[in-house]
Amino acid sequence: MSLFALGLVLISAVFHATWNLLAKRAGADTAFLFLAYVIGAIVFAPFAIGILVIARPQPGWPALVFVMVAVGLQTLYFATLTAGYRAGDLSLVYPIARASGPLLATIGAITVFGERPTPVAIGGALAIVAGALFLTGDPRALRRDGAALAVGFALATGIVIALYTLWDKTAVSVVLIPPLLYDWSTVVGQALVVTPFALRHRDAVPEAWTRHRGAVLGVGVLSRLAYILVLTALVVSPVSYVAPAREIGILIGAILGTRVLAEGHVMRRGIGAAAMVVGVLALALG
């Protein structure tokens, strides 16, 4: 993995953990997400138009298919992730979702793209699983702590992450859709998909804007910027390197959850998150 791609991924991880903190603190619901999509579409529109005017990409009709599927996957991702945050702690949901995603994406990359990870990478995958299990604690305590639902949403989010990572890798490196244009088209599609909800719940949208304006702006901009950087890295690097490396945000998310939100279980969750970070780094280096 080149230093350029690694730098993009590490910066993306910081942005990603930050917008997840903002979404968790705001208790992001559908109205919140609609506003975040609209903000992302507006902010990055000039850059997307600039690419169309200057670069004049000609991806053809397959690009529309890729964007439409990406809209569905990204909308599902935001829905499962924010549902997890409403059900449980950031320092629980975020690491499990972000750790299971690259593990499944790596398996998919082996199957779909023929990538062959080394024994070091396989050891990293096992470290991710061990860290996730340690982070959740005694499985019998999940029901007592009310965390089982949150863990379920986190795992569902990880599955969606793996699916859209493999899909988007194909879009930017095979179909050759410019990363920023691809992400902008996707967020415009997401805004359109959620528009019927906004029309049916006219009071919820302005209320979400009034109560969480700063968080909406932060999530709308940082979520798009974080993934544009990842898409750019995917153009030049294999999935089995990019997907794990970007999960350095796991540690950032765990720290934010325990320190900023005072969610507790600092030692256990810290050790679990650290194990997963070691795992994703091993995957990246392997």
Side-chain angles (χ1 to χ4, degrees):
M1 189 175 188
S2 67
L3 290 178
F4 171 71
L6 181 59
L8 292 178
V9 171
L10 293 179
I11 295 172
S12 170
V14 175
F15 290 159
H16 193 279
T18 302
W19 79 251
N20 274 262
L21 171 65
L22 294 174
K24 168 63 180 176
R25 296 180 72 173
D29 55 12
T30 306
F32 181 99
L33 293 180
F34 169 75
L35 290 170
Y37 296 152
V38 171
I39 292 297
I42 293 173
V43 169
F44 290 96
F47 302 99
I49 294 172
I51 291 174
L52 289 173
V53 173
I54 298 173
R56 298 178 181 272
Q58 302 291 331
W61 68 265
L64 179 61
V65 175
F66 271 87
V67 168
M68 291 176 64
V69 174
V71 168
L73 290 174
Q74 289 285 351
T75 302
L76 182 59
Y77 163 72
F78 272 88
T80 56
L81 182 65
T82 53
Y85 288 157
R86 291 192 295 272
D89 293 345
L90 172 72
S91 52
L92 177 69
V93 174
Y94 185 80
I96 293 176
R98 301 311 308 180
S100 57
L103 176 60
L104 296 173
T106 299
I107 295 172
I110 294 171
T111 304
V112 177
F113 299 124
E115 298 179 11
R116 292 293 179 264
T118 65
V120 173
I122 294 175
L126 294 176
I128 291 174
V129 174
L133 292 175
F134 188 82
L135 185 143
T136 58
D138 184 352
R140 295 172 300 180
L142 291 178
R143 180 170 297 180
R144 293 197 303 270
D145 295 340
L149 183 61
V151 171
F153 279 122
L155 292 174
T157 303
I159 294 172
V160 178
I161 289 171
L163 291 174
Y164 77 59
T165 299
L166 296 171
W167 185 259
D168 295 347
K169 166 66 174 178
T170 306
V172 298
S173 65
V174 178
V175 185
L176 301 180
I177 308 174
L180 192 149
L181 182 61
Y182 180 64
D183 186 76
W184 178 76
S185 300
T186 301
V187 76
V188 170
Q190 289 175 279
L192 292 175
V193 167
V194 185
T195 294
F197 169 87
L199 294 176
R200 289 196 305 269
H201 301 81
R202 290 182 176 82
D203 294 336
V205 174
E207 181 181 354
W209 176 253
T210 301
R211 296 179 58 188
H212 306 295
R213 183 176 306 170
V216 166
L217 291 171
V219 172
V221 174
L222 292 179
S223 63
R224 304 336 304 178
L225 186 56
Y227 201 56
I228 289 170
L229 295 177
V230 169
L231 289 173
T232 304
L234 282 172
V235 173
V236 297
S237 297
V239 171
S240 55
Y241 283 73
V242 174
R246 67 180 297 218
E247 305 317 322
I248 194 67
I250 291 170
L251 183 57
I252 300 172
I255 292 173
L256 290 175
T258 54
R259 296 298 183 184
V260 178
L261 301 182
E263 293 175 344
H265 305 289
V266 177
M267 181 63 70
R268 173 169 59 81
R269 290 180 173 177
I271 294 174
M276 288 188 287
V277 169
V278 171
V280 296
L281 289 178
L283 278 173
L285 295 174

